[in-house]
Each structure stands twice: as structure tokens, then as C-alpha cells.
Amino acid sequence: MNTKIFTLDRIQSYKNMPDLIAEALKDAILQGEYRGGVQLKQDEIAKQFEVSLIPVREALIQVEAKGLVKCIRNKGALVTNMSFKEMEELFEVRKVFEVGCIDLMEDTMDKEALHKLKFIIEKMETPESSDVYCRHYRLFYQVFCDFAQNKELSKMYEEYFVRIERYLVYIYHLIPELMNELSHQKEMVQALEAEDKQNLVHLVTYHIHNIQETFIDWLEQEGLGKDFDWNRFLPFPQLED
């Protein structure tokens, strides 16, 4: 696992080691460094972070709660496998979350939040890699859902989106041209400014459908079916230091 991305400032931003280790494991899985079905060896992780097994076990519990690993008795922690069926289900639930957020929105003219969305779009215009792009992508939709002013919903969405992000990083890595299509996010900001909730519903549902259909088309072009081996394209190439 590449721990070089954790600078001193970033390490100090975490309250404890289990949180830091959990974040590192999450990032490694999202970046495809750990393939589906791989066993995470607790002793090796402990050695990398120079800690005992206790914070590693606590970290794995956190990562399991996000749906990225499965802790099995006598086998340890296994990275969960990806599947087209799971992706379809996650995307469907994402629609429910985002449409639900729109239904709860009362004030879509929050200038500070709108400024944040526009700033995030600027960051997305020059993506360094699919995982960096998806971090900004996630932030965009998290801020978007905050318009609902429902802390419980926002918290649930943030936790749930980790599993969605795993598929998005994968898709954007294989189809990088998708990262150049920001008209959707810009149209969402325009709809918020116009207080056009009906258009917002159309935009979020169409966007999710379009990602899935684009991926299906890509699979067909590559001669692959929906039951293809997701580990085939992992791990993703890492950026140079």
C-alpha cells in the first residue's frame, strides 16, 4: 500500500491511528491497489504504520462498515468483489438519495454553497487522475445534498457514496473522456440558481443513467459482457512521485 500520499499535515488532521489507517486502506481500494478477493494481512499493515494490531483491527471495522472489505472469521479481512449487479443497485439507490435531497430543498439560492460548487467544478476541469477527479466529484454531490439541510441524510449519503465512488473511479479510469464532460454539473448549478427543482431531478437521473450506459457501450466495444472480471484492469497505474 502506498503511504507516501499521507503528508504530515494530512496525518495530523486525523484524530487517531485507526482513522488514518482506515483512510489509507479506503484510498488503496478505491485506486485499485487491492483487488477484489485479496486478503488484507493485518501484520503487514501494522508494520507499515508501525503500530500494534489493535488499531489495524479497529481500522478494518471502519472499512468494513463502508462495504469495501468483509471480515470473515479464520480468514481475516477480504476486499469485496465488484460486480455489475452491485453497481446497478448502488446507482439506483444513488438516484433515490439525490432525488430525495431535491424534494427536501427549500432554499436553493445559498450563495456560499453555490460558490463552493462552482469552485469544485473549476478543480474538476483539470483532473490529475480518475481518483483525484472523483474526490472532487464526490465533494460536488456532497455539497449539493447539503442543500436539503438534513444532516442525517447528508451523513448517510456521504458514507454510502464511498462504494459508489469505487465504481466511478474504475469507470473514469477506463473511459477518461468522461472526465471532460462537465456540462452536467454546470447545468445543475444553473438549475439551483433558477430554483428549477424539476430540471434538477431530470439532470441527476439522466447523469447517473448516462454513466452506466456509456460503460455498457464500452464493454461491448471491448467484447466484454456484464459478467467480466473486474480485477482484469486492476491495479490502476499510479502517478509518478
Side-chain angles (χ1 to χ4, degrees):
M1 177 173 52
N2 181 10
T3 58
K4 294 180 181 179
I5 60 173
F6 288 89
T7 63
L8 180 59
D9 288 341
R10 188 172 183 187
I11 290 174
Q12 290 175 338
S13 69
Y14 292 95
K15 295 179 180 180
N16 52 55
M17 284 305 296
D19 286 353
L20 172 63
I21 297 170
E23 186 70 11
L25 292 173
K26 184 200 78 173
D27 282 354
I29 294 171
L30 292 183
Q31 294 166 9
E33 192 171 340
Y34 289 132
R35 302 184 182 197
V38 167
Q39 180 180 4
L40 300 181
K41 298 181 180 179
Q42 296 182 26
D43 54 343
E44 292 183 3
I45 297 172
K47 184 177 180 181
Q48 284 181 311
F49 286 91
E50 300 179 351
V51 296
S52 67
L53 291 177
I54 295 176
V56 174
R57 289 168 182 157
E58 293 179 6
L60 288 171
I61 291 173
Q62 291 185 37
V63 181
E64 182 178 33
K66 297 182 185 297
L68 299 180
V69 303
K70 180 68 175 177
C71 295
I72 303 174
R73 191 171 183 177
N74 299 325
K75 289 188 177 181
L78 302 179
V79 177
T80 55
N81 286 303
M82 301 173 71
S83 72
F84 197 91
K85 179 176 176 55
E86 182 187 50
M87 184 191 78
E88 287 182 313
E89 293 176 348
L90 289 172
F91 281 18
E92 285 299 318
V93 176
R94 179 186 173 185
K95 290 179 187 177
V96 174
F97 266 117
E98 294 181 10
V99 172
C101 285
I102 295 170
D103 288 339
L104 292 173
M105 290 179 185
E106 295 181 0
D107 180 15
T108 61
M109 287 297 290
D110 184 331
K111 291 183 179 180
E112 182 178 354
L114 287 169
H115 176 73
K116 289 179 181 178
L117 292 179
K118 292 176 182 178
F119 177 78
I120 295 170
I121 289 175
E122 290 180 4
K123 293 292 184 180
M124 294 170 69
E125 287 178 340
T126 54
E128 300 175 23
S129 62
S130 60
D131 59 299
V132 174
Y133 176 88
C134 283
R135 289 176 196 171
H136 292 121
Y137 181 103
R138 168 168 44 86
L139 286 174
F140 180 93
Y141 286 95
Q142 188 62 51
V143 174
F144 170 73
C145 283
D146 286 345
F147 276 93
Q149 297 183 359
N150 186 306
K151 292 182 179 179
E152 287 300 315
L153 190 148
S154 293
K155 182 179 179 181
M156 290 172 61
Y157 183 80
E158 182 178 6
E159 288 293 314
Y160 191 81
F161 204 88
V162 173
R163 294 171 66 194
I164 297 172
E165 187 176 356
R166 186 181 182 190
Y167 285 92
L168 290 175
V169 173
Y170 194 100
I171 293 171
Y172 282 122
H173 174 77
L174 295 177
I175 315 174
E177 56 267 26
L178 277 174
M179 292 187 286
N180 298 323
E181 298 179 5
L182 288 173
S183 58
H184 164 74
Q185 284 79 16
K186 293 177 181 178
E187 289 176 354
M188 285 182 63
V189 172
Q190 293 171 359
L192 284 167
E193 291 176 323
E195 299 184 304
D196 188 347
K197 294 171 69 172
Q198 183 177 353
N199 191 28
L200 277 174
V201 172
H202 166 73
L203 288 170
V204 299
T205 53
Y206 174 78
H207 175 64
I208 296 169
H209 174 76
N210 184 57
I211 293 174
Q212 187 167 303
E213 289 302 307
T214 300
F215 184 48
I216 291 174
D217 290 343
W218 184 88
L219 289 176
E220 291 179 353
Q221 292 172 9
E222 294 296 316
L224 301 171
K226 294 181 181 179
D227 59 346
F228 81 105
D229 179 10
W230 291 75
N231 286 334
R232 173 175 177 175
F233 299 101
L234 297 177
F236 300 137
Q238 297 295 316
L239 296 175
E240 294 295 331
D241 295 334

